[in-house]
Amino acid sequence: MSNEGSRVTGINPVLLIDKIIRAKIYASTYYKESCFALNAKTIIDRAVELKSIGGTFGGARKPTPFLCLALKLLQINPEWEIIQKYIEQEDYKYLRALGCLYVRLIGKPKEAYEILEPVYNDYRKILIRNSDSTLSVSHMDEFIEDLLSKEIVFDLVLPHLPKRHMLEELEILNPRKSALDNELQFEENVVQQHHEEEERERKRNLKKKSKLGEGGQNPQKEPVPESIEYWNSIRQQMGLPPLKAPPAAK
C-alpha cells in the first residue's frame, strides 16, 4: 500500500469509516467478489460500472457498491495526483463522485475547497440509493454541496471542515469566484466597452462641430425647402434675380 499520497497523519485512513460500517462492507458479497486485489488503476473499472451512489440501505443496512469502493480506495491510498485525475475527467460521473468523497475524507481543508468547488459546475444528474432502498435523482453539484456543508454524508462522519469565510480571513483561501461571477464580470465588461464606445462617438461628434465653427463663424445652415431662401439659392445658381420677401403682416 502506498502512503505517499496520504493527507492523513498518524492514523490508518481506513479508520475514517466507522467500525460497524467497515464490518458490514467486509462481509458484503460485492466487496468479497468485486473489490479483492483492486489497485488505483483497476478500481476505475469498478467505479465506471456504478449506477448510483449512497451509503447503507435496507433493513440489514447493506453497504452500496459505492461505499465499498470508498473503503477500498482508502485501503489503496493512491497518489494524490491519481485522485485528482479521477475528478478532472468528465466521462464517468460516479468515478468523479468517488474521487470527491475521497478528497473530502482525506484532504486538508484548503485542498477540499480548491479541488471540490470547481465541481459545482457539474450539473449532471446522479442517482442516490436511499436508506429505504429507493432511488432518487440528485445532481453532482448538490453532492458537492453536501460534502462541503454537512457533517455526515452516506453514513460517514466527515472530518471537521472550517467554514470557508474563516479560511479566507486567515488568508488560507482566496475569495471564491463562481461561474455566475465570471458571467457577470463578462457582462460588465461588455457594458463598459459599450459606454466607452458611446463616449468616443460623442467626442468625435463634438470635434466635427468644432471644425465646422472654426474662426468664430457659425456653420452655414442649409436652406429650408420651399422657403424664400431655398428658391433664391436656386435662382442664384441660374443667374436669376432673387425673389422679394413678402411684406410682413401688420
Side-chain angles (χ1 to χ4, degrees):
M1 182 188 304
S2 169
N3 288 319
E4 294 179 9
S6 177
R7 293 312 197 257
V8 178
T9 57
I11 66 169
N12 184 343
V14 170
L15 300 180
L16 291 169
I17 294 182
D18 180 76
K19 180 179 180 180
I20 296 177
I21 295 178
R22 290 203 314 271
K24 290 181 179 294
I25 293 174
Y26 291 141
S28 69
T29 302
Y30 180 85
Y31 188 86
K32 293 176 180 178
E33 295 181 354
S34 301
C35 297
F36 181 75
L38 290 180
N39 56 40
K41 184 181 295 185
T42 57
I43 197 173
I44 295 175
D45 298 326
R46 294 290 176 264
V48 300
E49 295 171 351
L50 291 173
K51 304 300 181 184
S52 63
I53 62 177
T56 59
F57 66 97
R61 311 304 296 172
K62 293 173 54 178
T64 61
F66 179 78
L67 195 58
C68 292
L69 291 178
L71 176 60
K72 189 62 183 181
L73 197 57
L74 290 171
Q75 283 184 338
I76 297 169
N77 194 14
E79 300 287 345
W80 195 243
E81 291 75 15
I82 293 177
I83 296 299
Q84 290 178 296
K85 293 294 184 183
Y86 290 176
I87 297 172
E88 290 169 0
Q89 63 80 32
E90 298 180 349
D91 295 324
Y92 304 105
K93 56 188 178 182
Y94 295 123
L95 174 61
R96 170 176 276 188
L98 184 65
C100 289
L101 177 61
Y102 184 88
V103 166
R104 181 62 182 86
L105 288 170
I106 297 293
K108 298 174 183 178
K110 183 176 188 292
E111 293 170 327
Y113 282 109
E114 289 182 341
I115 294 175
L116 298 186
E117 283 181 338
V119 190
Y120 272 128
N121 298 325
D122 187 346
Y123 306 114
R124 285 178 293 181
K125 293 180 180 179
I126 55 176
L127 285 178
I128 305 292
R129 175 69 69 181
N130 300 310
S131 59
D132 62 358
S133 299
T134 61
L135 288 170
S136 60
V137 176
S138 185
H139 298 83
M140 185 66 76
D141 60 312
E142 295 177 87
F143 174 56
I144 298 303
E145 177 64 21
D146 288 345
L147 291 179
L148 293 177
S149 63
K150 293 185 176 181
E151 296 180 355
I152 299 176
V153 174
F154 297 155
D155 303 309
L156 302 179
V157 178
L158 303 177
H160 173 68
L161 184 67
K163 296 296 183 182
R164 196 185 206 290
H165 71 86
M166 296 176 61
L167 298 181
E168 289 180 11
E169 291 173 2
L170 294 173
E171 297 185 350
I172 295 174
L173 281 178
N174 294 322
R176 176 174 174 255
K177 277 196 171 184
S178 65
L180 179 59
D181 291 332
N182 293 333
E183 290 179 8
L184 291 175
Q185 183 63 49
F186 175 76
E187 291 179 3
E188 289 177 2
N189 291 340
V190 171
V191 171
Q192 179 66 24
Q193 291 173 4
H194 178 68
H195 288 165
E196 290 174 355
E197 180 59 32
E198 286 185 334
E199 181 63 18
R200 286 193 291 269
E201 182 65 24
R202 186 183 70 83
K203 290 180 178 179
R204 283 195 293 267
N205 290 336
L206 288 175
K207 192 173 182 180
K208 289 179 182 178
K209 291 180 180 179
S210 175
K211 286 183 177 180
L212 289 173
E214 283 179 356
Q217 298 178 356
N218 293 326
Q220 296 294 325
K221 295 182 179 179
E222 289 290 332
V224 179
E226 308 303 331
S227 67
I228 292 292
E229 292 82 2
Y230 173 78
W231 287 111
N232 280 343
S233 66
I234 294 178
R235 291 172 67 87
Q236 184 179 8
Q237 295 172 17
M238 299 173 65
L240 298 174
L243 297 173
K244 293 183 179 180
K250 294 182 179 180

